[in-house]
């Protein structure tokens, strides 16, 4: 595994620092998620440093760093323990100040002491597991999973389809899953989270509890609370019995768990999985020259993790940083096979050497990378809905031209955009399209000159005539009220057979925007922008 060097690194040269504890995840001014990490030096001085949230899979309590580099060969402190738990729901969540000071002294720092831990009483010992470490071990095996954990309905964005045909689960990963993670083991892991309702409930609870606490702390402006930081929490569902293999330190009858090495006892809900990813293609051999590119870079590159550098890059197709594995042993191991539907040509002729890549001054040097989130390839983050159930964009049949217009609007005008898809309420013929697909609608949040507006567009694969709606959010109107307005408008629209209720439009001061099938993306976007 490649070595990772953390930047920034605030300690003197050659001074060893121990990763001591975690602080709260929070949003920076760019609305990127970050995590506070506490390091301790030999003088017992604790310093808190901030890193991108996507770095979490590489971090373990007790790791020793020098000049920002962690030596994976150096043994971590602590002993190994095996604990058997009858049911996860028996765990009690308390804050870190409940821990004996002889196990960990947090110097009365509220940022560190208010972090949640899960206590399990097993025989005469009380095992104390940091919630962040439990979440990491259960769900976060990559930067990609970390970033989607803290997105509303993030799990839905990773899966395009999950259907049963006989006794086989057909499981399609979306293009958001990096090519490197399109493996059998990740297909088991992701499908387990997605298909087991108890595990999925725990995954969903992480973001829901975080956002609910933000609303509680700052009802008018939840973003302000998220930017300050909130300790992580999780709802433990009824599941068991389980075994955990952990590394920790013991004091009298308390054990502080610093790392969960592995789980056993979980059961996957399916015995056979046929999984697919856009990268999975059948190879067909053809005669032709095989190009060989020479490079001086080693396969086992070392990386400098520096999100503040102008040269730091993230590979949008790969997770460039490999995380140390947490072993997940299922009591039933599903058989995974891969479906390959597209064809990739492979030349079998003579080798032809072409100009080497990654040359010049970058050749042989450590590569600067980033674990920060990014929006690439026309991707748009979802809206933080709490009561409206969203669906994957792949189900937005009849909204293709609207998506193109929104993409053009985002690239051309100074606006910030989030978007979610909803299903139209059932009850009338209009709820289902003539082709049999459930009718959907898109809700877009547009921020322009500090003003927020919401756009509602109903899918029209049948060229149905219905206007686009524009909500001008009144000052201090909370998001849950906007959700209520949208839900009521959609219900009334269905009852009226696909026509907006003018009384409700007047009541909520909603503006209509007419558009035509002949409108190009540029024309449609311009019409919308002039209304903002």
């Amino acid at each position: 595994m490649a070595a990772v060097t953390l930047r920034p690194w605030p300690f003197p040269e050659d001074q060893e620092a121990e990763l001591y504890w975690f602080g709260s995840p929070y949003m920076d001014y760019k609305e990127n998620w970050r995590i506070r990490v506490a390091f301790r030096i030999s003088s017992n001085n604790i310093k808190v440093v901030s890193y991108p949230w996507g770095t979490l899979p590489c971090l373990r309590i007790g790791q020793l760093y020098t000049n920002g580099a962690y030596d994976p060969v150096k043994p971590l402190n602590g002993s190994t323990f095996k604990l058997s738990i009858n049911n996860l729901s028996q765990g009690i969540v308390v804050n870190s100040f409940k821990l004996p000071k002889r196990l960990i002294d947090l110097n009365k720092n509220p940022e560190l002491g208010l972090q949640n831990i899960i206590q399990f009483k097993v025989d005469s010992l009380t095992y104390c597991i940091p919630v962040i470490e439990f979440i990491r071990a259960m769900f976060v095996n990559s930067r990609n999973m970390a970033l989607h954990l803290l997105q509303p309905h993030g799990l839905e964005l990773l899966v395009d389809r999950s259907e049963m045909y006989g006794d086989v689960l057909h499981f399609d990963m979306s293009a958001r899953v990096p090519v490197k993670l399109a493996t059998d083991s990740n297909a088991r892991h992701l499908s387990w989270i997605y298909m087991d309702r108890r595990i999925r409930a725990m995954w969903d609870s992480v973001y829901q509890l975080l956002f609910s606490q933000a609303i509680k702390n700052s009802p008018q402006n939840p973003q302000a609370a998220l930017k300050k930081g909130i300790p992580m929490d999780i709802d433990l569902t009824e599941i068991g019995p389980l075994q955990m293999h952990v590394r920790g330190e013991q004091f009298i009858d308390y054990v502080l768990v610093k790392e969960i090495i592995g789980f056993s006892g979980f059961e996957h809900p399916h015995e056979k999985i046929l999984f697919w990813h856009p990268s999975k293609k059948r190879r067909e051999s053809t005669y032709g020259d095989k190009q060989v590119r020479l490079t001086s870079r080693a396969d086992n590159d070392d990386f400098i993790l520096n999100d503040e550098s102008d040269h730091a890059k993230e590979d949008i197709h790969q997770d460039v940083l490999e995380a140390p594995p947490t072993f997940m042993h299922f009591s039933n191991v599903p058989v995974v096979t891969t479906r390959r539907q597209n064809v990739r040509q492979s030349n079998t002729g003579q080798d032809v050497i072409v100009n080497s890549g990654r040359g010049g001054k970058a050749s042989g040097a450590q590569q600067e990378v980033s674990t920060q989130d990014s929006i690439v390839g026309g991707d748009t983050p979802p809206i933080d809905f709490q009561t409206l159930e969203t669906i994957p964009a792949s189900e937005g049949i009849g909204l293709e031209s609207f998506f193109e217009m929104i993409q053009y609007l985002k690239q051309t005008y100074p606006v910030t955009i989030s978007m979610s898809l909803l299903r139209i309420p059932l009850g009338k013929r209009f709820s289902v399209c003539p082709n049999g697909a459930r009718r959907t609608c898109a809700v877009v949040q547009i921020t322009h000159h500090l003003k927020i507006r919401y756009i509602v567009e109903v899918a029209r694969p049948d060229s149905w005539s219905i206007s686009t709606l524009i909500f001008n959010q009144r000052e201090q109107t909370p998001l849950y009220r906007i959700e209520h307005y949208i839900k009521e408008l959609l219900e009334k629209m269905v009852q009226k057979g696909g026509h907006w209720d003018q009384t409700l439009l007047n009541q909520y001061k909603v503006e209509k925007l007419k558009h035509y099938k002949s409108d190009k993306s540029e024309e449609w976007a311009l019409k919308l922008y002039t209304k903002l």
Side-chain angles (χ1 to χ4, degrees):
M1 187 181 71
V4 178
T5 301
L6 299 177
R7 292 291 184 268
W9 187 250
F11 302 101
E13 188 176 358
D14 296 331
Q15 184 173 43
E16 193 173 68
E18 176 191 4
L19 199 162
Y20 193 60
W21 203 243
F22 291 110
S24 297
Y26 71 98
M27 278 186 173
D28 63 12
Y29 70 99
K30 294 181 180 179
E31 296 190 355
N32 288 316
W33 283 103
R34 299 183 70 85
I35 178 70
R36 297 183 177 100
V37 183
F39 291 90
R40 183 182 66 169
I41 56 179
S42 57
S43 61
N44 212 31
N45 184 28
I46 297 176
K47 183 171 288 189
V48 179
V49 189
S50 169
Y51 294 110
W53 171 249
T55 317
L56 180 66
C58 298
L59 303 177
R60 304 288 190 277
I61 297 172
Q63 286 175 335
L64 297 176
Y65 289 81
T66 303
N67 301 326
Y70 160 63
D71 184 359
V73 178
K74 198 166 187 176
L76 302 178
N77 54 28
S79 305
T80 57
F81 298 84
K82 177 183 177 181
L83 59 150
S84 298
I85 302 169
N86 291 329
N87 201 305
L88 271 184
S89 62
Q90 295 173 355
I92 301 173
V93 178
V94 298
N95 66 54
S96 303
F97 281 136
K98 302 290 186 181
L99 290 168
K101 281 192 176 182
R102 291 288 296 274
L103 270 180
I104 187 165
D105 187 356
L106 300 173
N107 292 340
K108 298 182 180 179
N109 184 330
E111 171 62 33
L112 305 179
L114 292 178
Q115 300 307 310
N116 291 316
I117 59 174
I118 308 169
Q119 290 187 338
F120 289 102
K121 184 81 171 179
V122 180
D123 298 327
S124 60
L125 295 178
T126 299
Y127 291 87
C128 305
I129 306 174
V131 166
I132 288 181
E133 171 60 18
F134 182 81
I135 290 170
R136 181 207 63 77
M138 284 281 290
F139 303 126
V140 182
N141 62 0
S142 64
R143 162 192 169 275
N144 186 61
M145 292 293 280
L147 297 177
H148 283 85
L149 180 69
L150 295 189
Q151 289 191 47
H153 315 288
L155 193 61
E156 296 283 355
L157 303 176
L158 298 174
V159 180
D160 278 346
R161 183 181 69 139
S162 59
E163 297 176 0
M164 289 296 299
Y165 289 92
D167 60 347
V168 179
L169 172 66
H170 288 240
F171 190 75
D172 292 2
M173 296 181 182
S174 75
R176 283 174 172 254
V177 178
V179 174
K180 190 174 183 179
L181 299 181
T183 62
D184 290 2
S185 61
N186 276 300
R188 288 189 189 95
H189 183 246
L190 182 58
S191 62
W192 171 64
I193 298 172
Y194 192 83
M195 299 302 296
D196 191 313
R197 59 177 179 79
R198 299 164 300 177
I199 305 301
R200 185 167 179 171
M202 285 198 288
W203 166 286
D204 291 337
S205 73
V206 174
Y207 180 80
Q208 290 170 356
L209 291 172
L210 196 69
F211 196 74
S212 297
Q213 189 61 45
I215 294 175
K216 184 178 179 180
N217 293 352
S218 180
Q220 301 301 329
N221 185 15
Q223 292 289 97
L226 294 175
K227 289 180 179 180
K228 184 178 179 182
I230 296 173
M232 299 200 80
D233 201 355
I234 188 170
D235 282 337
L236 299 171
T237 58
E238 292 191 5
I239 188 169
L242 306 170
Q243 293 79 42
M244 273 192 248
H245 300 263
V246 303
R247 172 179 57 85
E249 290 192 4
Q250 181 177 352
F251 173 69
I252 309 178
D253 54 354
Y254 280 85
V255 177
L256 173 59
V257 173
K258 297 187 174 183
E259 178 185 4
I260 298 176
I261 301 170
F263 293 96
S264 60
F266 286 116
E267 184 174 353
H268 198 288
H270 301 285
E271 299 287 343
K272 298 178 183 178
I273 301 172
L274 179 63
F275 101 93
W276 176 83
H277 183 268
S279 66
K280 300 301 180 183
K281 299 178 181 180
R282 291 184 289 107
R283 284 187 179 273
E284 283 191 0
S285 297
T286 59
Y287 183 78
D289 292 340
K290 183 164 52 177
Q291 294 184 339
V292 178
R293 185 179 298 275
L294 301 180
T295 175
S296 59
R297 300 184 68 90
D299 291 335
N300 188 27
D301 285 336
D302 290 345
F303 298 103
I304 297 176
L305 179 65
N306 187 5
D307 289 274
E308 297 177 0
S309 168
D310 293 334
H311 305 291
K313 298 178 180 179
E314 60 176 339
D315 188 333
I316 62 173
H317 302 294
Q318 308 282 345
D319 259 19
V320 294
L321 302 180
E322 296 181 61
T326 298
F327 297 98
M328 187 76 65
H329 178 71
F330 293 104
S331 56
N332 61 326
V333 182
V335 177
V336 178
T337 53
T338 304
R339 190 176 90 250
R340 302 176 188 272
Q341 61 185 40
N342 295 322
V343 176
R344 175 181 297 161
Q345 302 290 342
S346 178
N347 287 354
T348 58
Q350 63 181 356
D351 292 351
V352 176
I353 297 176
V354 298
N355 292 333
S356 62
R358 295 181 180 267
K361 65 180 181 179
S363 181
Q366 283 185 303
Q367 183 183 0
E368 289 188 339
V369 299
S370 168
T371 53
Q372 193 61 274
D373 195 6
S374 67
I375 302 301
V376 294
D379 201 1
T380 305
I383 305 173
D384 292 325
F385 285 138
Q386 295 295 293
T387 59
L388 295 176
E389 181 183 357
T390 63
I391 58 175
S394 58
E395 295 189 27
I397 300 170
L399 289 168
E400 293 81 5
S401 59
F402 180 75
F403 293 156
E404 292 176 5
M405 182 275 292
I406 290 296
Q407 182 65 15
Y408 181 85
L409 182 73
K410 184 171 63 173
Q411 294 175 346
T412 308
Y413 298 101
V415 295
T416 302
I417 291 178
S418 298
M419 179 170 65
S420 290
L421 260 65
L422 313 172
R423 292 190 179 94
I424 296 297
L426 290 170
K428 295 286 184 177
R429 181 182 299 175
F430 185 73
S431 304
V432 180
C433 301
N435 62 3
R438 178 81 173 270
R439 196 180 296 270
T440 61
C441 76
V443 181
V444 180
Q445 182 189 67
I446 301 180
T447 304
H448 179 59
H449 292 163
L450 301 180
K451 291 185 178 180
I452 298 177
R453 292 171 177 84
Y454 291 87
I455 314 301
V456 179
E457 173 72 9
V458 176
R460 305 184 303 143
D462 50 354
S463 300
W464 183 264
S465 178
I466 185 168
S467 299
T468 304
L469 298 188
I470 304 175
F471 284 80
N472 291 303
Q473 184 178 8
R474 303 168 196 170
E475 191 174 353
Q476 304 299 331
T477 303
L479 180 59
Y480 74 87
R481 295 301 305 168
I482 297 293
E483 293 182 46
H484 172 76
Y485 298 157
I486 293 172
K487 185 177 180 181
E488 189 172 4
L489 275 167
L490 292 176
E491 288 174 347
K492 284 287 186 181
M493 182 265 296
V494 169
Q495 291 174 14
K496 287 183 170 288
H499 302 282
W500 298 118
D501 187 301
Q502 191 60 47
T503 302
L504 281 181
L505 297 183
N506 296 337
Q507 179 182 339
Y508 297 148
K509 297 184 178 179
V510 178
E511 189 175 356
K512 290 194 292 187
L513 172 67
K514 289 187 177 181
H515 58 87
Y516 304 96
K517 191 174 182 179
S518 59
D519 286 346
K520 296 180 179 179
S521 296
E522 312 88 90
E523 299 167 339
W524 194 358
L526 179 60
K527 286 182 183 179
L528 180 57
Y529 183 72
T530 56
K531 296 282 187 179
L532 300 181

